[in-house]
Short mmCIF file of all heavy atoms in Angstrom, two decimals:
data_model
loop_
_atom_site.label_atom_id
_atom_site.label_comp_id
_atom_site.label_asym_id
_atom_site.label_seq_id
_atom_site.Cartn_x
_atom_site.Cartn_y
_atom_site.Cartn_z
N ASN A 8 0.78 8.46 11.27
CA ASN A 8 -0.49 8.70 11.96
C ASN A 8 -0.50 7.90 13.26
O ASN A 8 -0.22 6.69 13.24
CB ASN A 8 -1.66 8.23 11.10
CG ASN A 8 -1.97 9.20 10.00
OD1 ASN A 8 -2.42 10.31 10.25
ND2 ASN A 8 -1.70 8.79 8.78
N GLU A 12 -5.57 6.85 22.76
CA GLU A 12 -6.76 6.79 23.60
C GLU A 12 -6.40 7.15 25.02
O GLU A 12 -5.39 6.67 25.54
CB GLU A 12 -7.37 5.39 23.58
CG GLU A 12 -7.96 4.98 22.27
CD GLU A 12 -8.59 3.60 22.35
OE1 GLU A 12 -9.75 3.51 22.79
OE2 GLU A 12 -7.90 2.63 22.00
N VAL A 13 -7.22 7.99 25.65
CA VAL A 13 -7.01 8.36 27.04
C VAL A 13 -8.23 7.93 27.85
O VAL A 13 -9.27 7.63 27.29
CB VAL A 13 -6.76 9.88 27.21
CG1 VAL A 13 -5.51 10.30 26.46
CG2 VAL A 13 -7.96 10.69 26.74
N GLU A 17 -10.95 14.75 30.88
CA GLU A 17 -10.00 15.62 31.56
C GLU A 17 -8.58 15.34 31.05
O GLU A 17 -7.81 16.26 30.78
CB GLU A 17 -10.07 15.45 33.06
CG GLU A 17 -9.20 16.42 33.83
CD GLU A 17 -9.35 16.26 35.32
OE1 GLU A 17 -10.51 16.17 35.81
OE2 GLU A 17 -8.32 16.24 36.01
N ALA A 18 -8.26 14.08 30.93
CA ALA A 18 -6.94 13.69 30.40
C ALA A 18 -6.79 14.17 28.96
O ALA A 18 -5.73 14.63 28.56
CB ALA A 18 -6.75 12.20 30.50
N LEU A 22 -3.74 17.38 27.38
CA LEU A 22 -2.61 16.93 26.58
C LEU A 22 -1.80 18.06 25.96
O LEU A 22 -0.61 17.90 25.65
CB LEU A 22 -3.08 16.03 25.45
CG LEU A 22 -3.59 14.65 25.83
CD1 LEU A 22 -4.19 13.96 24.64
CD2 LEU A 22 -2.45 13.81 26.39
N TYR A 31 4.79 19.25 18.89
CA TYR A 31 3.53 19.16 18.16
C TYR A 31 2.74 20.48 18.27
O TYR A 31 2.85 21.18 19.28
CB TYR A 31 2.66 18.04 18.69
CG TYR A 31 3.14 16.66 18.34
CD1 TYR A 31 4.11 16.02 19.11
CD2 TYR A 31 2.65 16.00 17.22
CE1 TYR A 31 4.56 14.77 18.76
CE2 TYR A 31 3.09 14.73 16.87
CZ TYR A 31 4.05 14.13 17.65
OH TYR A 31 4.51 12.90 17.33
N TYR A 37 -10.39 20.07 15.31
CA TYR A 37 -10.03 20.11 13.89
C TYR A 37 -11.05 19.33 13.04
O TYR A 37 -10.71 18.48 12.20
CB TYR A 37 -8.62 19.57 13.69
CG TYR A 37 -7.89 20.15 12.48
CD1 TYR A 37 -7.54 21.48 12.44
CD2 TYR A 37 -7.57 19.35 11.39
CE1 TYR A 37 -6.87 22.01 11.35
CE2 TYR A 37 -6.91 19.85 10.31
CZ TYR A 37 -6.55 21.19 10.29
OH TYR A 37 -5.91 21.70 9.20
N GLY A 38 -12.33 19.62 13.26
CA GLY A 38 -13.41 19.08 12.45
C GLY A 38 -14.01 17.77 12.88
O GLY A 38 -15.00 17.34 12.29
N PHE A 45 -3.17 16.85 16.85
CA PHE A 45 -1.86 17.44 16.96
C PHE A 45 -1.07 17.09 15.70
O PHE A 45 -1.15 15.97 15.21
CB PHE A 45 -1.10 16.90 18.18
CG PHE A 45 -1.84 17.07 19.48
CD1 PHE A 45 -2.68 16.07 19.93
CD2 PHE A 45 -1.69 18.22 20.22
CE1 PHE A 45 -3.37 16.21 21.12
CE2 PHE A 45 -2.37 18.37 21.42
CZ PHE A 45 -3.21 17.38 21.88
N VAL A 56 -1.26 13.20 15.41
CA VAL A 56 -1.82 12.41 16.50
C VAL A 56 -3.30 12.75 16.60
O VAL A 56 -3.69 13.91 16.67
CB VAL A 56 -1.11 12.71 17.85
CG1 VAL A 56 -1.78 11.96 19.00
CG2 VAL A 56 0.37 12.38 17.76
N MET A 61 -11.29 6.86 25.44
CA MET A 61 -11.53 5.44 25.15
C MET A 61 -13.02 5.20 24.90
O MET A 61 -13.87 5.73 25.60
CB MET A 61 -11.05 4.57 26.33
CG MET A 61 -9.55 4.52 26.42
SD MET A 61 -8.87 3.74 27.91
CE MET A 61 -9.86 2.32 28.14
N GLU A 64 -16.74 6.69 19.31
CA GLU A 64 -17.13 6.05 18.05
C GLU A 64 -16.18 6.32 16.88
O GLU A 64 -16.06 5.49 15.97
CB GLU A 64 -18.54 6.51 17.66
CG GLU A 64 -18.60 7.98 17.29
CD GLU A 64 -20.00 8.49 17.01
OE1 GLU A 64 -20.83 8.48 17.94
OE2 GLU A 64 -20.25 8.87 15.87
N TYR A 75 -9.48 -1.21 5.83
CA TYR A 75 -9.96 -1.27 4.44
C TYR A 75 -8.81 -0.96 3.47
O TYR A 75 -8.63 -1.65 2.46
CB TYR A 75 -11.10 -0.26 4.22
CG TYR A 75 -11.54 -0.21 2.79
CD1 TYR A 75 -12.48 -1.12 2.28
CD2 TYR A 75 -11.04 0.75 1.92
CE1 TYR A 75 -12.89 -1.09 0.98
CE2 TYR A 75 -11.42 0.79 0.60
CZ TYR A 75 -12.33 -0.15 0.12
OH TYR A 75 -12.72 -0.12 -1.20
N GLU A 80 -6.13 -2.62 -2.51
CA GLU A 80 -5.12 -1.78 -3.15
C GLU A 80 -5.74 -0.55 -3.80
O GLU A 80 -6.78 -0.58 -4.33
CB GLU A 80 -4.39 -2.58 -4.22
CG GLU A 80 -3.52 -3.67 -3.60
CD GLU A 80 -2.69 -4.39 -4.65
OE1 GLU A 80 -2.48 -3.82 -5.71
OE2 GLU A 80 -2.28 -5.49 -4.36
#
Side-chain angles (χ1 to χ4, degrees):
N8 284 291
E12 291 183 85
V13 299
E17 185 177 315
L22 289 173
Y31 287 85
Y37 208 68
F45 304 91
V56 176
M61 289 170 42
E64 66 185 65
Y75 175 85
E80 293 184 21

